[in-house]
Amino acid sequence: MNDNLHQLRCFGCGAQISGAEARPDFRCAECGDLFEVEYPGWARRQSHDRPNPGALKWLWRERKCSSEALDNSGVWRFRELLPILDNFGNAVTLREGNTPLYALPRVAKALGMDQLFAKHQGMNPTGSFKDTGMTAALSVAHERGFEWVACAATGNTYAAMAAYAARAGLRSLVLIPEGKIAWGKLAQAMDYGAVTCQLKADFDGCARVLTQIVREAPIYLLNSVNPYRLEGQKTPAFEIAEAFDWTVPDHLIVPGGNLANSSALGKGFRELRDLGVVSRLPKVSVIQAAGANPLVRSFAANGAKTLEPVEAHTRATAIRIGNPASWRKAARVIEESGGWCLDVTEAEIAMAKAELGAEGLGCEPASAVTLAGLKKLRAEGKVRSAESVVLILTGHTLKDADYTIEFHRGSLLSAEEAAGNEERIERLRRNALAVDATPEAVLAAMKGARA
Ligand code: F0G
């Protein structure tokens, strides 16, 4: 059976090639830009390849009751919209996706809203949204017979890659920047058996070295320049639309690092709309850390026509990226959907993260930029109180426990970073208390503790 209906289209010059023709670095031979997966049969109204919206909705819901591994995956459950394999039997899955959509009642109340939700992608098998992309792209590598896969990463990508490679029996190579990495993620790469090299370079430097390596050796590149990653990462858009009974929320708020995820989610909603499954797009807003905000600067400078790389600094290490590969795709999603691109400070990220923790959710610092960004959008009147909003939480809180502990101990932010927010930060802190080993002392500590 050949399920494969896709081709690749260059985002820059529009060149169309077959999947097999892509170069190892996934850059266009004509103009050097990135490719996007497209499905030519969908555009033709009468085509047999064009999926039928009513049938799809029914089929996807039925699969929730199935015991087949592919149907249990929140990515492959939607396989009619990602026909990228010759045979779906080659898919490598860890039952990713199907992540929870939580209401955020306390945060919503504080912001004067009544429809605020968090789609928690940290509830994936390796603890981040990267699993949805990795199951797609690694399945392609597996089907095409590669022995080695590789990525340069700030953390979550390599944790996901190493796990899926191990499942498929492939070897994996990880290039990571020296220092400033979250230990939980490195531990995962080791556990899943990756060959891990720490380079004296930042993320962008690691990505450059890896691009040279894959041009010379038969290694399959799994960075997000690989367009198949985005096919998996678009599926949370389907889950969100399904949860909203095939309408869409008014706003979707996404963290921005290398800018693939916002691009992928935007693509997912666009495809649903073009196929007639939903009738409109949510406004997609992308939030960056103020110390790693090249897209925000690019919008301010020239409406995102060009992008100047920046030297990136932020304690939210997952989005410490100064030269994002997918910036053009993300800019298009923001523009076509009517969303915004803005940045938030280190203190705003830390406070938002603590507030999400206090809702019983918790997330990585990089995920908390979404709530920090929403507060700004509310303050600027860009999100109205009656509108529905979904925050994309990208990673699990245990990925970077050091960050959380430092915040609650009071050692995360410098006086300069905390300036103006000291009281609010103090109210959010819950440091462990040193207490005598007697019932009286513990009861007294409980009485004195802040609610
Ligand atoms: N949130 C988390 C937890 C991430 O790990 C990343 C990216 C992002 C947000 C940003 O997503 O890059 O698609 O805009 N982490 C990458 C990595 C780059 O290497 O693990 P993006």
PDB file of all heavy atoms in Angstrom, residues 100-125:
ATOM      1  N   PRO A 100      -3.777  16.883  27.294  1.00  0.00           N
ATOM      2  CA  PRO A 100      -4.939  17.536  27.906  1.00  0.00           C
ATOM      3  C   PRO A 100      -5.054  19.025  27.584  1.00  0.00           C
ATOM      4  O   PRO A 100      -4.041  19.705  27.402  1.00  0.00           O
ATOM      5  CB  PRO A 100      -4.696  17.342  29.409  1.00  0.00           C
ATOM      6  CG  PRO A 100      -3.262  17.005  29.559  1.00  0.00           C
ATOM      7  CD  PRO A 100      -2.773  16.443  28.265  1.00  0.00           C
ATOM      8  N   LEU A 101      -6.302  19.469  27.524  1.00  0.00           N
ATOM      9  CA  LEU A 101      -6.606  20.900  27.401  1.00  0.00           C
ATOM     10  C   LEU A 101      -7.233  21.296  28.741  1.00  0.00           C
ATOM     11  O   LEU A 101      -8.347  20.893  29.042  1.00  0.00           O
ATOM     12  CB  LEU A 101      -7.597  21.118  26.260  1.00  0.00           C
ATOM     13  CG  LEU A 101      -7.956  22.566  25.933  1.00  0.00           C
ATOM     14  CD1 LEU A 101      -6.793  23.281  25.254  1.00  0.00           C
ATOM     15  CD2 LEU A 101      -9.181  22.612  25.010  1.00  0.00           C
ATOM     16  N   TYR A 102      -6.463  22.037  29.545  1.00  0.00           N
ATOM     17  CA  TYR A 102      -6.921  22.365  30.892  1.00  0.00           C
ATOM     18  C   TYR A 102      -7.528  23.763  30.938  1.00  0.00           C
ATOM     19  O   TYR A 102      -6.986  24.692  30.333  1.00  0.00           O
ATOM     20  CB  TYR A 102      -5.736  22.392  31.863  1.00  0.00           C
ATOM     21  CG  TYR A 102      -5.029  21.080  32.069  1.00  0.00           C
ATOM     22  CD1 TYR A 102      -3.711  20.902  31.646  1.00  0.00           C
ATOM     23  CD2 TYR A 102      -5.650  20.020  32.721  1.00  0.00           C
ATOM     24  CE1 TYR A 102      -3.026  19.713  31.866  1.00  0.00           C
ATOM     25  CE2 TYR A 102      -4.972  18.819  32.942  1.00  0.00           C
ATOM     26  CZ  TYR A 102      -3.667  18.678  32.515  1.00  0.00           C
ATOM     27  OH  TYR A 102      -3.003  17.502  32.733  1.00  0.00           O
ATOM     28  N   ALA A 103      -8.594  23.925  31.724  1.00  0.00           N
ATOM     29  CA  ALA A 103      -9.076  25.279  32.012  1.00  0.00           C
ATOM     30  C   ALA A 103      -8.144  25.894  33.059  1.00  0.00           C
ATOM     31  O   ALA A 103      -7.547  25.177  33.861  1.00  0.00           O
ATOM     32  CB  ALA A 103     -10.494  25.202  32.558  1.00  0.00           C
ATOM     33  N   LEU A 104      -7.992  27.212  33.026  1.00  0.00           N
ATOM     34  CA  LEU A 104      -7.140  27.918  34.000  1.00  0.00           C
ATOM     35  C   LEU A 104      -8.005  28.910  34.784  1.00  0.00           C
ATOM     36  O   LEU A 104      -7.902  30.122  34.576  1.00  0.00           O
ATOM     37  CB  LEU A 104      -6.030  28.683  33.269  1.00  0.00           C
ATOM     38  CG  LEU A 104      -4.994  27.870  32.504  1.00  0.00           C
ATOM     39  CD1 LEU A 104      -4.068  28.787  31.710  1.00  0.00           C
ATOM     40  CD2 LEU A 104      -4.186  27.031  33.474  1.00  0.00           C
ATOM     41  N   PRO A 105      -8.836  28.423  35.695  1.00  0.00           N
ATOM     42  CA  PRO A 105      -9.834  29.313  36.316  1.00  0.00           C
ATOM     43  C   PRO A 105      -9.232  30.460  37.126  1.00  0.00           C
ATOM     44  O   PRO A 105      -9.726  31.588  37.042  1.00  0.00           O
ATOM     45  CB  PRO A 105     -10.647  28.364  37.206  1.00  0.00           C
ATOM     46  CG  PRO A 105      -9.814  27.140  37.364  1.00  0.00           C
ATOM     47  CD  PRO A 105      -8.955  27.040  36.150  1.00  0.00           C
ATOM     48  N   ARG A 106      -8.160  30.186  37.883  1.00  0.00           N
ATOM     49  CA  ARG A 106      -7.638  31.269  38.741  1.00  0.00           C
ATOM     50  C   ARG A 106      -6.950  32.358  37.919  1.00  0.00           C
ATOM     51  O   ARG A 106      -7.162  33.541  38.127  1.00  0.00           O
ATOM     52  CB  ARG A 106      -6.668  30.696  39.776  1.00  0.00           C
ATOM     53  CG  ARG A 106      -7.414  30.262  41.027  1.00  0.00           C
ATOM     54  CD  ARG A 106      -6.594  29.337  41.866  1.00  0.00           C
ATOM     55  NE  ARG A 106      -6.837  27.953  41.468  1.00  0.00           N
ATOM     56  CZ  ARG A 106      -6.206  26.899  41.965  1.00  0.00           C
ATOM     57  NH1 ARG A 106      -5.243  27.056  42.852  1.00  0.00           N
ATOM     58  NH2 ARG A 106      -6.489  25.677  41.580  1.00  0.00           N
ATOM     59  N   VAL A 107      -6.132  31.924  36.983  1.00  0.00           N
ATOM     60  CA  VAL A 107      -5.452  32.900  36.136  1.00  0.00           C
ATOM     61  C   VAL A 107      -6.483  33.679  35.320  1.00  0.00           C
ATOM     62  O   VAL A 107      -6.394  34.907  35.171  1.00  0.00           O
ATOM     63  CB  VAL A 107      -4.439  32.202  35.196  1.00  0.00           C
ATOM     64  CG1 VAL A 107      -3.808  33.198  34.259  1.00  0.00           C
ATOM     65  CG2 VAL A 107      -3.367  31.484  36.000  1.00  0.00           C
ATOM     66  N   ALA A 108      -7.503  32.976  34.826  1.00  0.00           N
ATOM     67  CA  ALA A 108      -8.540  33.642  34.025  1.00  0.00           C
ATOM     68  C   ALA A 108      -9.243  34.709  34.857  1.00  0.00           C
ATOM     69  O   ALA A 108      -9.468  35.830  34.390  1.00  0.00           O
ATOM     70  CB  ALA A 108      -9.550  32.609  33.523  1.00  0.00           C
ATOM     71  N   LYS A 109      -9.564  34.366  36.094  1.00  0.00           N
ATOM     72  CA  LYS A 109     -10.266  35.318  36.960  1.00  0.00           C
ATOM     73  C   LYS A 109      -9.404  36.574  37.161  1.00  0.00           C
ATOM     74  O   LYS A 109      -9.886  37.700  37.030  1.00  0.00           O
ATOM     75  CB  LYS A 109     -10.560  34.643  38.308  1.00  0.00           C
ATOM     76  CG  LYS A 109     -11.507  35.419  39.147  1.00  0.00           C
ATOM     77  CD  LYS A 109     -12.062  34.579  40.291  1.00  0.00           C
ATOM     78  CE  LYS A 109     -12.851  35.493  41.211  1.00  0.00           C
ATOM     79  NZ  LYS A 109     -12.514  35.344  42.613  1.00  0.00           N
ATOM     80  N   ALA A 110      -8.124  36.327  37.437  1.00  0.00           N
ATOM     81  CA  ALA A 110      -7.226  37.465  37.665  1.00  0.00           C
ATOM     82  C   ALA A 110      -7.149  38.360  36.419  1.00  0.00           C
ATOM     83  O   ALA A 110      -6.940  39.575  36.532  1.00  0.00           O
ATOM     84  CB  ALA A 110      -5.840  36.959  38.047  1.00  0.00           C
ATOM     85  N   LEU A 111      -7.317  37.765  35.248  1.00  0.00           N
ATOM     86  CA  LEU A 111      -7.217  38.546  34.008  1.00  0.00           C
ATOM     87  C   LEU A 111      -8.581  39.012  33.494  1.00  0.00           C
ATOM     88  O   LEU A 111      -8.670  39.591  32.412  1.00  0.00           O
ATOM     89  CB  LEU A 111      -6.540  37.711  32.918  1.00  0.00           C
ATOM     90  CG  LEU A 111      -5.040  37.464  33.098  1.00  0.00           C
ATOM     91  CD1 LEU A 111      -4.525  36.492  32.051  1.00  0.00           C
ATOM     92  CD2 LEU A 111      -4.277  38.778  33.005  1.00  0.00           C
ATOM     93  N   GLY A 112      -9.643  38.727  34.274  1.00  0.00           N
ATOM     94  CA  GLY A 112     -10.984  39.149  33.868  1.00  0.00           C
ATOM     95  C   GLY A 112     -11.466  38.428  32.623  1.00  0.00           C
ATOM     96  O   GLY A 112     -12.112  39.010  31.752  1.00  0.00           O
ATOM     97  N   MET A 113     -11.136  37.126  32.533  1.00  0.00           N
ATOM     98  CA  MET A 113     -11.547  36.354  31.347  1.00  0.00           C
ATOM     99  C   MET A 113     -12.334  35.143  31.799  1.00  0.00           C
ATOM    100  O   MET A 113     -12.188  34.694  32.936  1.00  0.00           O
ATOM    101  CB  MET A 113     -10.297  35.860  30.601  1.00  0.00           C
ATOM    102  CG  MET A 113      -9.370  36.962  30.187  1.00  0.00           C
ATOM    103  SD  MET A 113      -7.915  36.272  29.430  1.00  0.00           S
ATOM    104  CE  MET A 113      -8.632  35.427  28.041  1.00  0.00           C
ATOM    105  N   ASP A 114     -13.144  34.561  30.899  1.00  0.00           N
ATOM    106  CA  ASP A 114     -13.773  33.316  31.332  1.00  0.00           C
ATOM    107  C   ASP A 114     -13.516  32.122  30.424  1.00  0.00           C
ATOM    108  O   ASP A 114     -14.006  31.039  30.677  1.00  0.00           O
ATOM    109  CB  ASP A 114     -15.276  33.501  31.618  1.00  0.00           C
ATOM    110  CG  ASP A 114     -15.966  34.324  30.570  1.00  0.00           C
ATOM    111  OD1 ASP A 114     -15.571  34.193  29.389  1.00  0.00           O
ATOM    112  OD2 ASP A 114     -16.859  35.097  30.913  1.00  0.00           O
ATOM    113  N   GLN A 115     -12.727  32.297  29.401  1.00  0.00           N
ATOM    114  CA  GLN A 115     -12.441  31.134  28.544  1.00  0.00           C
ATOM    115  C   GLN A 115     -10.946  31.023  28.268  1.00  0.00           C
ATOM    116  O   GLN A 115     -10.496  31.303  27.165  1.00  0.00           O
ATOM    117  CB  GLN A 115     -13.164  31.284  27.218  1.00  0.00           C
ATOM    118  CG  GLN A 115     -14.674  31.210  27.324  1.00  0.00           C
ATOM    119  CD  GLN A 115     -15.244  31.089  25.934  1.00  0.00           C
ATOM    120  OE1 GLN A 115     -15.174  30.042  25.296  1.00  0.00           O
ATOM    121  NE2 GLN A 115     -15.773  32.175  25.431  1.00  0.00           N
ATOM    122  N   LEU A 116     -10.217  30.636  29.300  1.00  0.00           N
ATOM    123  CA  LEU A 116      -8.760  30.520  29.149  1.00  0.00           C
ATOM    124  C   LEU A 116      -8.348  29.062  29.376  1.00  0.00           C
ATOM    125  O   LEU A 116      -8.707  28.454  30.392  1.00  0.00           O
ATOM    126  CB  LEU A 116      -8.058  31.435  30.163  1.00  0.00           C
ATOM    127  CG  LEU A 116      -6.536  31.356  30.186  1.00  0.00           C
ATOM    128  CD1 LEU A 116      -5.927  31.693  28.824  1.00  0.00           C
ATOM    129  CD2 LEU A 116      -5.975  32.285  31.267  1.00  0.00           C
ATOM    130  N   PHE A 117      -7.591  28.530  28.421  1.00  0.00           N
ATOM    131  CA  PHE A 117      -7.194  27.125  28.478  1.00  0.00           C
ATOM    132  C   PHE A 117      -5.698  26.987  28.204  1.00  0.00           C
ATOM    133  O   PHE A 117      -5.100  27.833  27.549  1.00  0.00           O
ATOM    134  CB  PHE A 117      -7.937  26.308  27.409  1.00  0.00           C
ATOM    135  CG  PHE A 117      -9.424  26.380  27.530  1.00  0.00           C
ATOM    136  CD1 PHE A 117     -10.136  27.368  26.847  1.00  0.00           C
ATOM    137  CD2 PHE A 117     -10.111  25.490  28.335  1.00  0.00           C
ATOM    138  CE1 PHE A 117     -11.516  27.455  26.959  1.00  0.00           C
ATOM    139  CE2 PHE A 117     -11.499  25.572  28.454  1.00  0.00           C
ATOM    140  CZ  PHE A 117     -12.202  26.554  27.772  1.00  0.00           C
ATOM    141  N   ALA A 118      -5.145  25.874  28.712  1.00  0.00           N
ATOM    142  CA  ALA A 118      -3.754  25.548  28.392  1.00  0.00           C
ATOM    143  C   ALA A 118      -3.731  24.178  27.739  1.00  0.00           C
ATOM    144  O   ALA A 118      -4.249  23.205  28.292  1.00  0.00           O
ATOM    145  CB  ALA A 118      -2.921  25.524  29.658  1.00  0.00           C
ATOM    146  N   LYS A 119      -3.155  24.104  26.540  1.00  0.00           N
ATOM    147  CA  LYS A 119      -2.949  22.815  25.873  1.00  0.00           C
ATOM    148  C   LYS A 119      -1.564  22.360  26.313  1.00  0.00           C
ATOM    149  O   LYS A 119      -0.549  22.958  25.912  1.00  0.00           O
ATOM    150  CB  LYS A 119      -3.012  23.020  24.352  1.00  0.00           C
ATOM    151  CG  LYS A 119      -2.710  21.791  23.530  1.00  0.00           C
ATOM    152  CD  LYS A 119      -3.858  20.830  23.511  1.00  0.00           C
ATOM    153  CE  LYS A 119      -3.592  19.672  22.551  1.00  0.00           C
ATOM    154  NZ  LYS A 119      -4.472  18.519  22.858  1.00  0.00           N
ATOM    155  N   HIS A 120      -1.523  21.333  27.166  1.00  0.00           N
ATOM    156  CA  HIS A 120      -0.237  21.002  27.802  1.00  0.00           C
ATOM    157  C   HIS A 120       0.527  19.941  27.022  1.00  0.00           C
ATOM    158  O   HIS A 120       0.379  18.746  27.232  1.00  0.00           O
ATOM    159  CB  HIS A 120      -0.437  20.561  29.243  1.00  0.00           C
ATOM    160  CG  HIS A 120       0.782  20.829  30.084  1.00  0.00           C
ATOM    161  ND1 HIS A 120       2.061  20.719  29.582  1.00  0.00           N
ATOM    162  CD2 HIS A 120       0.919  21.227  31.373  1.00  0.00           C
ATOM    163  CE1 HIS A 120       2.927  21.024  30.520  1.00  0.00           C
ATOM    164  NE2 HIS A 120       2.266  21.346  31.623  1.00  0.00           N
ATOM    165  N   GLN A 121       1.384  20.421  26.134  1.00  0.00           N
ATOM    166  CA  GLN A 121       2.192  19.523  25.311  1.00  0.00           C
ATOM    167  C   GLN A 121       3.339  18.890  26.107  1.00  0.00           C
ATOM    168  O   GLN A 121       4.019  17.998  25.602  1.00  0.00           O
ATOM    169  CB  GLN A 121       2.744  20.294  24.106  1.00  0.00           C
ATOM    170  CG  GLN A 121       1.671  20.762  23.141  1.00  0.00           C
ATOM    171  CD  GLN A 121       0.987  19.576  22.494  1.00  0.00           C
ATOM    172  OE1 GLN A 121      -0.080  19.156  22.931  1.00  0.00           O
ATOM    173  NE2 GLN A 121       1.595  19.004  21.485  1.00  0.00           N
ATOM    174  N   GLY A 122       3.526  19.385  27.336  1.00  0.00           N
ATOM    175  CA  GLY A 122       4.516  18.749  28.218  1.00  0.00           C
ATOM    176  C   GLY A 122       4.065  17.371  28.679  1.00  0.00           C
ATOM    177  O   GLY A 122       4.841  16.615  29.258  1.00  0.00           O
ATOM    178  N   MET A 123       2.803  17.032  28.422  1.00  0.00           N
ATOM    179  CA  MET A 123       2.270  15.725  28.829  1.00  0.00           C
ATOM    180  C   MET A 123       2.506  14.659  27.755  1.00  0.00           C
ATOM    181  O   MET A 123       1.814  13.647  27.712  1.00  0.00           O
ATOM    182  CB  MET A 123       0.778  15.854  29.155  1.00  0.00           C
ATOM    183  CG  MET A 123       0.484  16.830  30.271  1.00  0.00           C
ATOM    184  SD  MET A 123       1.320  16.371  31.811  1.00  0.00           S
ATOM    185  CE  MET A 123       0.694  17.643  32.913  1.00  0.00           C
ATOM    186  N   ASN A 124       3.435  14.892  26.878  1.00  0.00           N
ATOM    187  CA  ASN A 124       3.832  13.900  25.877  1.00  0.00           C
ATOM    188  C   ASN A 124       4.846  12.906  26.470  1.00  0.00           C
ATOM    189  O   ASN A 124       5.395  13.156  27.538  1.00  0.00           O
ATOM    190  CB  ASN A 124       4.435  14.627  24.659  1.00  0.00           C
ATOM    191  CG  ASN A 124       3.379  14.970  23.623  1.00  0.00           C
ATOM    192  OD1 ASN A 124       2.765  14.071  23.064  1.00  0.00           O
ATOM    193  ND2 ASN A 124       3.150  16.256  23.399  1.00  0.00           N
ATOM    194  N   PRO A 125       5.130  11.795  25.764  1.00  0.00           N
ATOM    195  CA  PRO A 125       5.972  10.736  26.353  1.00  0.00           C
ATOM    196  C   PRO A 125       7.340  11.198  26.850  1.00  0.00           C
ATOM    197  O   PRO A 125       7.818  10.708  27.876  1.00  0.00           O
ATOM    198  CB  PRO A 125       6.139   9.728  25.212  1.00  0.00           C
ATOM    199  CG  PRO A 125       4.976   9.957  24.331  1.00  0.00           C
ATOM    200  CD  PRO A 125       4.582  11.392  24.463  1.00  0.00           C
TER     201      PRO A 125
END
